[in-house]
Amino acid sequence: MDITSYLDQHENKSLLRVLTCGSVDDGKSTLIGRLLYDSKLIFTDQLQALEQASQKNGTTGAGNIDYALLLDGLKAEREQGITIDVAYRYFTTPKRKFIIADCPGHEQYTRNMATGASTANLAIILIDARHGVLTQTKRHAYIVSLLGIQHLLVAVNKMDLFDYDQTVFEKIQKEFSSFAKGLNLPDIRYIPISALAGENVVEKSSKISWYEGPSLLDILEEVDTSKDLNYEHFRFPVQVVSRPDLNFRGFAGSIASGTVDVGDEIVTLPSLKTSKVKRILTADGDLNHAFAPLPVTIELEDEIDISSGDLIVKKQDVPQVSRHFSASIVWMAESPLKVGNQYLIRHSGRNVAAKVVGIEHEIDINTLDRKESDHLALNQVGLVRLETKKPIYADLYDHNKSTGAFVLIDLVTNNTVGAGRIDLVHDDALLSGHDPYKKLRLETRRRHLDKNLLFGKGIFIAGSDLPEVKSWARQLDNHLFQQSFNTHYLGAEDDQVSSDQNDTLIQISQLLGITGTLAITALSHLPDENGIKALSLTSSQFKPLNIWLGDKISAPKNADLVISPSENPINYSQQLLDILRSENEPQVV
């Protein structure tokens, strides 16, 4: 192979951005160092420097290489034997290019971990076989889910300390799987490793013969991330207006999502001016078709006023435009987030003043339950309602990361104090009575009516074990909520529910359904048709979906679905949504 062919082959390799996370001292830096070392990706001078540093600051014993020192380069990191800041390493194998981020495990540096996770395609969560699943393991897993990382590799490390005992691995796998039921993690894989000994890192280990899967590097090389990008919704934040002479005016930036063709009708936000794409220019020449994440310059057929920070979208596919929205926020500052605080939002290349108008709930990392709170402290996560001075053009994060993510900036210090994902955009027309974007919004909604997620229904869940029913219902609620559905969990606080309490929950569920909410309700028993009529809930449009948790023998006749309580609610969420869509036409609200 000549040099030109080699360079062409290297240029066309896919890029995988990898995040390593987990609790402190679980072996994240050691894993990356060992991966580089065993892949023969360390230069001679780097290896010599590593050997010298290992003698001075190593923690693996005299004469042994401390692979973690390849990543932990700060003086404080080497003195304490911990990772403090995110360290990035770039390397390539014959199959793929990688950017791997080594994130700190200490709770006080969770904000650094969230930063490293913001661009990752795949996350590796390391778990120390000695300690199992810790609170920080759960916190990092939740943030991985929150940021929409689709692929998670759970690496149970330090298996050499247990002589690669299969039961140790399976116990940790079961514990993490139980916790992950409430998370949006569609692709989870588990692998036993010893980062220090290099077992199952680059090559399959003969010492872990009971493990039948591929090595860690094989997984990284083969994982398919092609479906993770959004190619449906075209979003082009303008970064620079290019005007080299009087005869040309173009708009430069990177395509955040979707595709664009010459001749496409576009609309600019916030001006609402329309035009057509005349040319798509790149450093390598003109294109007729471009897609995310290409950097391009777009020339339009008409001379319209567009500035840096404006957004170009297709005419029949506009994002939601509003000054009010709810967002899940990871708080990164020592001073807490409180209602009434004002910040600057950095969103899609624009800075917009914003105010906190409410804290809807805080997330308990250990149980994933929502709890009331009047503030968010450092490293806490919660759902916050914000109001901006000017409208933002946003998609829900689960639909489009590029226009669904933002950061909060302190007005005084100019420090980044929070990272957020937009979960719900509130309708300004309902709040103010005026909506200048109504026409475009209606066009978009008509086009996506069959995909609209905002429709109401009462989902009644009952079974022989009420605490089990409530737990299952909460997990389903958490999952659908993270998928950007407008959900609400209903259930009695006590494990003994009277008939009157059951009827009250049914009525509230139906009322919430009328407002467009998926009311997920844990009941002591499922109501029959006569019971529904007695409660004056006779509208067929909001006929409830009845789910029985248990076996078919114990299930009542009016159960629409019978599901084993041991089943993961996430596995049934799509089936439930298909049933709901088939029974109720989505309501545009």
Side-chain angles (χ1 to χ4, degrees):
M1 180 184 295
D2 60 24
I3 187 63
T4 303
S5 300
Y6 173 80
L7 291 175
D8 286 342
Q9 183 188 56
H10 180 74
E11 183 180 1
N12 293 322
K13 290 178 187 175
S14 62
L15 172 65
L16 184 70
R17 298 176 181 269
V18 181
L19 165 81
T20 58
C21 53
S23 191
V24 61
D25 202 30
D26 280 351
K28 297 175 291 296
S29 300
T30 301
L31 172 64
I32 301 174
R34 188 80 206 203
L35 183 64
L36 296 173
Y37 181 84
D38 287 352
S39 300
K40 308 293 189 289
L41 297 172
I42 302 176
F43 295 115
T44 303
D45 59 334
Q46 291 177 317
L47 182 58
Q48 291 174 348
L50 176 63
E51 291 172 345
Q52 293 174 3
S54 298
Q55 299 308 312
K56 181 180 180 181
N57 301 108
T59 60
T60 55
N64 296 320
I65 295 177
D66 188 347
Y67 300 101
L69 298 181
L70 272 173
L71 285 298
D72 296 334
L74 298 177
K75 181 179 179 181
E77 290 178 323
R78 293 192 170 187
E79 287 176 347
Q80 300 178 54
I82 62 172
T83 301
I84 296 175
D85 200 5
V86 181
Y88 294 92
R89 285 295 179 270
Y90 308 81
F91 67 98
T92 183
T93 68
K95 294 184 178 181
R96 205 168 210 167
K97 293 183 287 188
F98 298 91
I99 299 176
I100 192 162
D102 179 29
C103 294
H106 283 74
E107 181 179 350
Q108 70 188 91
Y109 301 124
T110 299
R111 50 190 167 186
N112 302 42
M113 178 268 172
T115 302
S118 61
T119 59
N121 308 115
L122 177 145
I124 302 173
I125 288 188
L126 277 91
I127 299 178
D128 190 328
R130 298 172 300 173
H131 307 308
V133 179
L134 303 176
T135 298
Q136 189 68 344
T137 312
K138 295 179 180 179
R139 180 178 285 108
H140 282 190
Y142 180 78
I143 293 174
V144 166
S145 170
L146 189 70
L147 294 179
I149 298 174
Q150 300 292 300
H151 310 280
L152 177 65
L153 181 55
V154 180
V156 181
N157 191 24
K158 306 186 182 181
M159 289 293 295
D160 53 310
L161 300 180
F162 295 90
D163 198 25
Y164 306 101
D165 187 349
Q166 183 176 358
T167 58
V168 173
F169 172 76
E170 290 177 344
K171 179 182 177 182
I172 294 173
Q173 180 180 359
K174 183 178 180 181
E175 183 180 2
F176 187 89
S177 298
S178 176
F179 171 76
K181 286 180 180 179
L183 300 178
N184 179 26
L185 294 168
D187 179 21
I188 305 180
R189 311 183 195 194
Y190 298 86
I191 181 171
I193 65 168
S194 170
L196 185 62
E199 300 295 337
N200 248 6
V201 176
V202 172
E203 302 289 343
K204 280 206 63 173
S205 173
S206 59
K207 297 181 180 179
I208 318 178
S209 56
W210 48 264
Y211 170 73
E212 298 179 353
S215 69
L216 186 140
L217 181 60
D218 287 339
I219 294 174
L220 297 183
E221 288 184 327
E222 299 298 335
V223 65
D224 181 14
T225 61
S226 60
K227 297 180 181 179
D228 297 350
L229 289 175
N230 183 331
Y231 292 114
E232 182 178 1
H233 305 293
F234 176 64
R235 304 289 184 258
F236 184 74
V238 176
Q239 297 176 4
V240 177
V241 179
S242 176
R243 186 124 177 134
D245 54 53
L246 295 175
N247 300 316
F248 181 85
R249 186 165 183 263
F251 309 100
S254 294
I255 301 175
S257 64
T259 64
V260 63
D261 295 278
V262 171
D264 281 347
E265 284 190 283
I266 60 91
V267 61
T268 64
L269 299 172
S271 69
L272 298 180
K273 300 294 183 181
T274 60
S275 184
K276 289 186 177 181
V277 177
K278 182 179 179 181
R279 292 175 65 193
I280 303 172
L281 299 88
T282 71
D284 297 321
D286 286 15
L287 299 175
N288 290 321
H289 173 80
F291 51 87
L294 288 178
V296 299
T297 298
I298 293 177
E299 183 184 6
L300 303 178
E301 290 187 355
D302 305 289
E303 288 286 341
I304 58 179
D305 182 18
I306 301 177
S307 303
S308 176
D310 289 357
L311 187 69
I312 298 177
V313 300
K314 291 183 181 178
K315 187 175 180 180
Q316 292 188 330
D317 185 24
V318 297
Q320 300 182 72
V321 182
S322 179
R323 293 177 49 245
H324 304 84
F325 61 94
S326 296
S328 296
I329 291 179
V330 181
W331 193 242
M332 302 177 175
E334 299 288 347
S335 56
L337 176 146
K338 294 182 179 179
V339 175
N341 287 6
Q342 296 187 27
Y343 302 98
L344 203 62
I345 283 183
R346 179 72 176 176
H347 173 264
S348 293
R350 300 171 67 221
N351 291 333
V352 182
K355 179 175 67 175
V356 178
V357 296
I359 299 175
E360 300 187 19
H361 61 255
E362 176 195 337
I363 298 294
D364 185 319
I365 295 298
N366 285 303
T367 63
L368 299 181
D369 287 338
R370 308 170 192 173
K371 58 184 182 181
E372 292 186 3
S373 179
D374 60 358
H375 72 282
L376 289 183
L378 176 65
N379 297 325
Q380 287 184 335
V381 181
L383 187 67
V384 177
R385 188 159 177 162
L386 295 162
E387 177 183 340
T388 56
K389 191 172 183 179
K390 296 179 180 179
I392 64 168
Y393 349 111
D395 295 292
L396 303 186
Y397 185 86
D398 282 333
H399 301 169
N400 198 325
K401 290 184 180 182
S402 62
T403 48
F406 64 92
V407 295
L408 291 175
I409 300 171
D410 188 278
L411 293 171
V412 178
T413 64
N414 209 36
N415 291 333
T416 298
V417 292
R421 49 163 281 163
I422 297 172
D423 293 322
L424 181 64
V425 178
H426 304 288
D427 197 333
D428 279 352
L430 297 178
L431 300 172
S432 66
H434 174 64
D435 184 4
Y437 304 94
K438 181 177 180 180
K439 184 178 179 181
L440 282 172
R441 278 152 40 94
L442 287 175
E443 288 181 8
T444 300
R445 284 176 174 177
R446 289 190 190 103
R447 182 171 176 263
H448 296 289
L449 185 61
D450 61 324
K451 298 179 182 178
N452 198 304
L453 303 181
L454 299 178
F455 56 97
K457 192 78 172 180
I459 301 179
F460 296 161
I461 305 174
S464 55
D465 188 336
L466 186 57
E468 198 169 46
V469 168
K470 290 162 66 175
S471 173
W472 203 91
R474 283 186 181 277
Q475 290 179 45
L476 178 64
D477 172 50
N478 280 331
H479 175 66
L480 293 180
F481 181 81
Q482 290 168 8
Q483 296 295 308
S484 300
F485 286 86
N486 185 21
T487 67
H488 189 85
Y489 167 79
L490 291 172
E493 292 186 4
D494 299 330
D495 290 339
Q496 299 295 326
V497 179
S498 67
S499 179
D500 288 344
Q501 287 175 314
N502 213 59
D503 291 346
T504 300
L505 289 172
I506 291 169
Q507 289 179 317
I508 295 173
S509 173
Q510 293 292 281
L511 290 172
L512 286 171
I514 294 172
T515 68
T517 300
L518 288 175
I520 298 171
T521 311
L523 300 173
S524 59
H525 60 274
L526 295 175
D528 57 22
E529 188 175 348
N530 292 330
I532 295 292
K533 290 180 178 179
L535 293 169
S536 301
L537 299 173
T538 59
S539 170
S540 60
Q541 185 178 5
F542 296 108
K543 179 185 176 183
L545 175 65
N546 291 329
I547 299 175
W548 178 260
L549 293 186
D551 55 42
K552 292 184 178 180
I553 297 175
S554 63
K557 293 181 179 179
N558 59 328
D560 298 308
L561 283 175
V562 179
I563 301 173
S564 169
S566 63
E567 293 286 350
N568 188 339
I570 295 176
N571 297 335
Y572 282 86
S573 61
Q574 189 58 52
Q575 182 181 351
L576 296 179
L577 294 174
D578 290 341
I579 293 173
L580 296 180
R581 287 194 178 99
S582 65
E583 293 183 354
N584 263 23
E585 183 174 302
Q587 309 235 352
V588 176
V589 298

